[in-house]
Amino acid sequence: MPLVNTKEMFEKAYNGGYAIGAFNCNNMEIVQAITEAAKECNSPVILQVSAGARKYAKPVYLKKMVEAAVEDTGLPIVLHLDHGADFEMCKDCIDGGFTSVMIDASSKPFEENIEITRKVVEYAHAHKPYVTVEAELGTLAGIEDDVKVEHGHESYTKPEDVEEFVRRTGCDSLAIAIGTSHGAYKFKPEQCTRDENGVLCPPPLRFDILEEVSKRLPGFPIVLHGSSSVNQEYVKIINENGGDLKDAVGVPEKQLRQAAKLAVCKINIDSDLRLAMTAGIREHFNAHPEHFDPRQYVGDGRKYVKELVKHKITEVLGSVDKA
Ligand SMILES: [Zn+2]
């Protein structure tokens, strides 16, 4: 099976009440960890590449590694551009064999967002084979590579905008802002309460906005960015092995599971992979200070990422046996 776009994948996910995991990748071990986990769960999966990943690994390496994963697993896999900054970057990826792109013009005024998104959609849909396009309305707080928004400058998606936006752009899916956030420090401590262990509990997602959006766009796939949960077991391993991550906090998995049962068909997870990889490597070095073969410590990182992805597929996304 060649790389696929998101069309059929999202239709099945919408109707089946689950979501597809969109995992960021930038090296071989991460690609292997994600796709081997997906294979063991018989789950479809989206591998996504940010502008930062393109800079780090070069687009051609990423594309070939993802193709290798398709050949190795036989799974339906989407190669997706995460946060395409402009038409040129999207075009470059479409021409380079990506099967899906995101154009993120959400920081632009409404009309300009429509104009840029429509231009990408026209190009992507004319391409053979058809490339799917994700767009965004609303702004998330936090940091993801080149995308930085200060806390307090985020804005929730306005449900009254979504029908016009989707109709005029022709986009295939829409990322909305309902309180998720980029990075491993998604919320300031003062936005949160603390549980009995002193762990921060963030404000709940705005399910009222999600429901209003899906009422206005029946059957239309919704995307959540910034949806790592910053699993405290990994933060603990990192901090116990020389790390210093204070008050890192994410979106609770229960809320994401709930969103996946509704109109949310794609859930983006990046920080959680980074934390799992770092936990594996730090633990390895602490236990084996004499080691210097990258296969030993990166291999342990890969093992942790794989375990994490299996956990996400079974407990959060609900996409087991949907390949
Ligand atoms: Zn994002």
Side-chain angles (χ1 to χ4, degrees):
M1 176 184 286
L3 285 166
V4 297
N5 65 31
T6 60
K7 199 129 196 102
E8 196 188 328
M9 216 181 250
F10 285 172
E11 268 166 30
K12 287 185 185 164
Y14 195 102
N15 295 327
Y18 61 92
I20 311 292
F23 300 99
N24 285 73
C25 56
N26 47 55
N27 68 28
M28 181 190 79
E29 283 78 5
I30 293 176
V31 170
Q32 289 176 332
I34 297 165
T35 54
E36 284 170 16
K39 178 74 183 169
E40 286 175 26
C41 297
N42 192 30
S43 167
V45 72
I46 298 171
L47 294 177
Q48 58 183 17
V49 169
S50 66
R54 278 163 48 95
K55 252 182 261 166
Y56 177 80
K58 287 190 186 172
V60 64
Y61 280 86
L62 295 164
K63 164 116 190 304
K64 299 284 182 191
M65 282 193 295
V66 172
E67 282 173 352
V70 170
E71 192 177 322
D72 185 45
T73 62
L75 289 175
I77 295 179
V78 174
L79 174 57
H80 176 77
L81 169 67
D82 191 22
H83 290 285
D86 51 33
F87 175 79
E88 286 310 316
M89 190 188 285
C90 292
K91 180 180 181 297
D92 195 48
C93 287
I94 293 165
D95 294 345
F98 280 51
T99 49
S100 181
V101 294
M102 176 197 192
I103 173 69
D104 179 5
S106 61
S107 62
K108 306 267 195 298
F110 187 66
E111 282 298 324
E112 213 177 316
N113 189 352
I114 288 181
E115 198 179 313
I116 298 168
T117 302
R118 190 174 49 202
K119 193 175 166 194
V120 172
V121 168
E122 278 168 9
Y123 190 80
H125 288 183
H127 191 271
K128 297 221 166 24
Y130 182 101
V131 171
T132 41
V133 178
E134 173 186 326
E136 178 165 339
L137 268 181
T139 321
L140 274 64
I143 301 176
E144 186 185 25
D145 287 344
D146 299 338
V147 184
K148 292 192 185 77
V149 177
E150 295 287 330
H151 285 283
H153 291 264
E154 69 271 28
S155 56
Y156 294 115
T157 302
K158 296 192 196 92
E160 61 271 27
D161 287 344
V162 298
E163 292 147 292
E164 183 185 356
F165 185 84
V166 168
R167 187 182 61 217
R168 288 178 59 196
T169 60
C171 64
D172 300 281
S173 61
L174 183 67
I176 62 170
I178 59 167
T180 60
S181 165
H182 287 128
Y185 298 87
K186 295 192 183 299
F187 307 95
K188 287 192 289 189
E190 54 269 33
Q191 289 176 285
C192 305
T193 53
R194 286 191 193 266
D195 70 9
E196 62 279 10
N197 302 317
V199 175
L200 293 174
C201 306
L205 296 181
R206 291 285 304 271
F207 278 94
D208 56 319
I209 298 178
L210 175 60
E211 274 169 33
E212 186 59 33
V213 167
S214 49
K215 225 182 276 169
R216 288 166 183 265
L217 298 173
F220 193 80
I222 300 301
V223 177
L224 289 187
H225 279 240
S227 295
S228 281
S229 297
V230 188
N231 302 44
Q232 291 301 312
E233 57 192 287
Y234 295 108
V235 175
K236 192 162 173 260
I237 294 171
I238 291 170
N239 287 343
E240 282 173 357
N241 290 280
D244 185 16
L245 299 179
K246 252 187 232 96
D247 288 341
V249 60
V251 180
E253 292 189 334
K254 248 194 205 151
Q255 292 182 37
L256 296 169
R257 183 73 201 94
Q258 181 59 24
K261 287 180 182 164
L262 303 171
V264 172
C265 294
K266 173 173 178 271
I267 292 184
N268 288 9
I269 298 168
D270 186 4
S271 297
D272 280 345
L273 306 184
R274 298 179 183 194
L275 291 168
M277 176 64 87
T278 303
I281 292 173
R282 276 201 179 274
E283 197 175 52
H284 185 99
F285 273 132
N286 211 8
H288 308 283
E290 75 285 9
H291 280 178
F292 61 94
D293 180 343
R295 289 172 296 187
Q296 294 172 315
Y297 54 88
V298 184
D300 270 6
R302 177 173 63 186
K303 194 173 83 191
Y304 274 29
V305 175
K306 183 174 169 181
E307 283 168 11
L308 172 89
V309 172
K310 282 175 85 168
H311 166 78
K312 294 286 178 184
I313 288 172
T314 49
E315 305 299 324
V316 181
L317 301 156
S319 62
V320 177
D321 280 332
K322 307 293 186 186

